[in-house]
Amino acid sequence: MKTFKWAVITSLLLALVSIVPGHSSAKFQFSDISPSKEYYEQVHYIAELKIVNEADKFNPGDKLKRAHVAKMLVLASNNQNFSAPDMHFKDLKSGTEQYDFASKAVALGFLQKQPDGSFKPNEYIKREEMGYALSKAFKLSEEISVEKPLMLRDMKSHEYAKEINGLYYAGVTQGDAGNFLPNDYLTRSQFALFVARALNDTYKLPVKLPEQTSRTYFAKVVTGGDVLNVRHLPAVTGNVIHKLNDGEIVEVIGQSGDWLVVLVDGKNGYIHGKYTKEVTVDTPSDGDVAIDTPEEEPEVDEPVIEEPEVTEPEEEVDNTPSLSGLVGKVTASSLNIRKTPSTSAAIIGKLSAGQKVEVLSLNGYWAKIKTSSGTGYIHKNYLKLTNQTGNPLKGRIIVIDAGHGGKDPGASSNKLTESTVTLNVAKRVEAKLKKAGAQVLMSRSNNTYLTLEQRTDFAKKNFAETFVSIHVNAAGSTAAKGTEVYYDSSTNPNASESKQLANKIHNSILKGANMVDRGVRDQRFYVIRNNNVAAVLVELGFITNSDDFKKLSSDQYAEIYAEAIYQGLVQYYSAN
């Protein structure tokens, strides 16, 4: 992690070496700030950097003046040697310290000269002007977009909206109950917190992104006959990008306050939740593309979008090594057998749910199987592949998805983030699976950000056979605790297999980690409902519960969780 955004002058480096987050080792202490104050460490941190003067008192509750902001931001951004052009302020004398820092702050664009030619160094500064100055000093301005909507409601029509938006997504401020309070005055302690967060990642606040990991569902527009605007931002000031008629149904993939994130024509937009009602919609599975006939059940065939390219569809081309002792059990009600690995190839037979076949080789999504009349090809997604000898996981393509990451830390408590816990456990699962001979694929192996779509696309691109997403729970009540595992039956064509896998992993975690049983649940989480193989989402425990937190923050239990997930996969692949 890069700790500093700007180089700090050489004379300060030695002073920084002894600073340990959570335990300030400043050589002095302001007499009017006790260690119990939330800003204690940050104030002494910026004092160590000489951004504020070491003195007997800091006066944390005093209102901040424009002269203070000018000096502190010039120093914090390492611009003390910046050569500012000569300026005339009618209330500042050239050659003074206040003039020097004021002229630099104005020339750098942090603060503005007053219309009457004054600087007003002793005027108290409001949060709006401070926010603008801080954003400019640390280059934190952030355009308001669907990906980074304005989360502070009272800034939606403000001239500094994008600057304050930048502070929010940089972890500098979360405002007060969803508002920034631009016209309030700022105290010295508040500004110290902001500057420390801008300088050092240790002090940053976790960024709360619009909800994108919750279940997805369908909502019906209920307006009493009026049209409903779809906007590009979660606010009435957002541009209208589409209109929905009363009674129309849309898919909801997230939420930002009272606004719902919906998919319209393949793009994200926002509608106000007040004018919607959740509904149940039957959606055909991605693989159900064969034509129904009155005489037979719907067939499951290979999805066209995932069809391997074959230059000569009438001729078998298979250079993959043959397999020994691999059996596939059909998981669809009816599965076509093709002459060659192509959706346009002739159908030479059909298989029924539960039927087992000998698998001769695998090539991408295609499984070459032995039939009574020779060989044929079927789509691998609708087979549960089991080894008849050796480790049941050998050769299986398993995606381990560590939830959250990067700019999305997930739930947090006592400086422990969900993204850290999930990656720790995921890497341990990876090691165990590799040792067993599985082809294990990690959606992320470091602290990077991935969208939900990127995670499911990754699984499909790599011909995954199972998908396990690892998460940590959180709740408003500290009493909530325990493990729960989810599968999806709304659109995932392998819902039955997903449920079996969920039960195996769930029971293994309960036994291994002695967790409270919160059950196996059917829910429309994005990464499992948009998968077409056995896919589960594991909630290890509640980071907001003291008992679960002790386990989630422990490497010993990270190993126990990983072993439990591994054993759950072993049990799933061992079952016929």
Side-chain angles (χ1 to χ4, degrees), residues 305-324:
I305 59 172
E306 295 165 350
E307 175 189 344
E309 293 184 5
V310 180
T311 55
E312 299 179 34
E314 297 306 320
E315 179 182 345
E316 291 189 25
V317 178
D318 190 352
N319 297 321
T320 57
S322 61
L323 303 173
S324 177

Side-chain angles (χ1 to χ4, degrees), residues 538-575:
V538 182
E539 293 280 8
L540 298 173
F542 282 78
I543 200 169
T544 46
N545 173 267
S546 58
D547 292 335
D548 283 6
F549 178 85
K550 291 176 183 177
K551 295 177 179 180
L552 295 171
S553 58
S554 161
D555 278 343
Q556 177 187 354
Y557 270 88
E559 183 66 21
I560 291 173
Y561 286 130
E563 179 65 20
I565 293 172
Y566 167 77
Q567 288 298 334
L569 285 161
V570 170
Q571 293 165 26
Y572 169 73
Y573 275 110
S574 298

Side-chain angles (χ1 to χ4, degrees), residues 40-53:
Y40 173 84
E41 186 177 333
Q42 290 86 339
V43 168
H44 288 90
Y45 168 75
I46 64 173
E48 286 278 355
L49 296 177
K50 309 302 181 185
I51 294 170
V52 294
N53 295 329

Side-chain angles (χ1 to χ4, degrees), residues 501-514:
L501 177 59
N503 275 303
K504 298 296 184 184
I505 291 178
H506 182 66
N507 292 335
S508 185
I509 293 176
L510 295 183
K511 181 180 179 181
N514 191 28

Side-chain angles (χ1 to χ4, degrees), residues 62-211:
D62 285 0
K63 293 178 183 177
L64 196 69
K65 297 178 180 180
R66 285 170 54 85
H68 296 152
V69 172
K71 180 178 180 180
M72 291 171 70
L73 288 186
V74 168
L75 293 173
S77 62
N78 199 30
N79 278 299
Q80 58 268 36
N81 296 322
F82 173 74
S83 180
D86 290 335
M87 292 187 183
H88 173 71
F89 299 106
K90 72 177 193 178
D91 53 354
L92 288 177
K93 186 177 181 181
S94 179
T96 64
E97 181 184 77
Q98 282 194 344
Y99 171 86
D100 180 50
F101 284 110
S103 60
K104 289 176 180 176
V106 171
L108 290 165
F110 303 167
L111 295 169
Q112 297 176 352
K113 194 175 184 179
Q114 299 298 306
D116 64 357
S118 64
F119 182 75
K120 298 189 183 303
N122 295 315
E123 183 178 87
Y124 296 129
I125 196 166
K126 292 183 177 180
R127 288 170 62 90
E128 57 183 359
E129 188 178 8
M130 175 283 305
Y132 178 88
L134 195 64
S135 174
K136 291 298 181 183
F138 292 98
K139 299 178 176 60
L140 300 177
S141 180
E142 195 72 64
E143 291 292 340
I144 300 168
S145 65
V146 170
E147 290 74 24
K148 293 185 177 179
L150 186 63
M151 302 293 281
L152 299 171
R153 295 185 296 270
D154 56 355
M155 294 300 297
K156 64 184 181 182
S157 57
H158 199 283
E159 62 178 319
Y160 299 153
K162 67 178 183 179
E163 284 78 20
I164 306 306
N165 202 44
L167 298 186
Y168 179 90
Y169 287 103
V172 173
T173 179
Q174 290 178 350
D176 184 359
N179 291 307
F180 183 68
L181 309 175
N183 293 314
D184 282 11
Y185 289 105
L186 198 73
T187 65
R188 288 169 56 84
S189 61
Q190 290 171 338
F191 191 58
L193 283 171
F194 292 160
V195 172
R197 290 167 186 164
L199 278 172
N200 192 324
D201 289 349
T202 300
Y203 304 119
K204 289 186 184 303
L205 300 171
V207 178
K208 297 178 181 178
L209 296 171
E211 185 75 41

Side-chain angles (χ1 to χ4, degrees), residues 1 16 28 73-74 82 91 94 119 144 203 237 239 259-260 265 294 337 361 376 388 427 444 477 503 520:
M1 178 185 294
L16 289 176
F28 75 99
L73 288 186
V74 168
F82 173 74
D91 53 354
S94 179
F119 182 75
I144 300 168
Y203 304 119
T237 54
N239 296 331
W259 294 80
L260 304 180
D265 294 336
I337 304 175
S361 63
Q388 301 305 295
K427 284 185 173 181
R444 69 178 181 97
S477 170
N503 275 303
V520 170

